[in-house]
Amino acid sequence: MYTWNDIEQHIAACSHCPLSQTRHLPVMGRGDHNADIMLIAEAPGEQEDLKGLPFVGRSGRILDELLEDCSLRREEIYITNILKCHPPGNRNPKEEEKESCFPYLKYETFLLKPKIIVCLGRVAAQRIISPDFKITRQHGTWTYQKDCAMTAVYHPSAILRDPSKLEITKRDFREIVRKREELAVEY
Ligand code: URA
């Protein structure tokens, strides 16, 4: 049985795919290991690669704005990515990279046992919720797997490209907090 520390050490030493040759630092998930909400994004960007932390660049500032709007704090949730290493030039992750990194996400999810998984953007939603997930039509909708409610919202970098998505995504995040309250009553 792996611990959080074991996973961190495996990721730090990982050389399963070529991204390990080009990354500066691997980016492990961060946050509360007892969180009921897990955010899963795509892959670290340039700033994240340099600092070894998720969402510390421009999209991190958008994420902070979304969290603040619904009174969530980073310290009370858990934020991670499908890929732990930065794909050069911010290109989309390749299938083989997603596959070789996926066991880390599985362990993180197993240890955390979140009640709510929020996919940030299409790439995460298609890997976690459904391969044909359409982020434009289906963001903010819910599916349930075992004891976990799953949804997807626009990725913060999509909001940077199209600021009209900010308000919609704030609404989706408020709904996530509402869902957490609803689930807390049921448990
Ligand atoms: N974009 C992501 O998908 N993940 C990060 O950690 C930062 C930017």
Side-chain angles (χ1 to χ4, degrees), residues 27 41-45 48 53-57 59-60 79-81 120 155 157:
V27 179
E42 178 178 328
E48 291 75 20
L53 296 167
F55 283 101
V56 288
S59 48
I79 306 174
T80 195
N81 284 294
L120 299 183
H155 191 287
S157 63

Side-chain angles (χ1 to χ4, degrees), residues 83-96:
L83 293 196
K84 309 307 184 207
C85 293
H86 173 56
N90 267 343
R91 61 162 171 72
N92 280 342
K94 294 182 183 167
E95 275 315 307
E96 60 269 28

Side-chain angles (χ1 to χ4, degrees), residues 12-57:
C14 183
S15 58
H16 290 167
C17 87
L19 293 182
S20 59
Q21 309 299 310
T22 52
R23 69 161 188 238
H24 286 96
L25 292 169
V27 179
M28 173 72 188
R30 283 276 147 164
D32 182 355
H33 289 168
N34 295 306
D36 49 9
I37 299 180
M38 181 184 207
L39 265 49
I40 304 176
E42 178 178 328
E46 268 175 39
Q47 290 302 312
E48 291 75 20
D49 178 55
L50 293 174
K51 303 212 170 88
L53 296 167
F55 283 101
V56 288

Side-chain angles (χ1 to χ4, degrees), residues 143-166:
T143 51
Y144 299 86
Q145 235 181 54
K146 299 184 194 144
D147 287 334
C148 188
M150 299 192 295
T151 189
V153 301
Y154 284 117
H155 191 287
S157 63
I159 300 173
L160 280 170
R161 288 192 297 274
D162 175 6
S164 74
K165 293 189 165 77
L166 180 64

Side-chain angles (χ1 to χ4, degrees), residues 12-13 16 18 23 29 51 60 62 65 74 78 85 91-92 97 138 142 163 165 171 180:
H16 290 167
R23 69 161 188 238
K51 303 212 170 88
I62 296 287
E65 184 175 343
R74 278 201 194 213
Y78 184 81
C85 293
R91 61 162 171 72
N92 280 342
E97 293 162 351
Q138 291 175 273
W142 292 88
K165 293 189 165 77
R171 252 182 274 144
R180 173 161 80 164

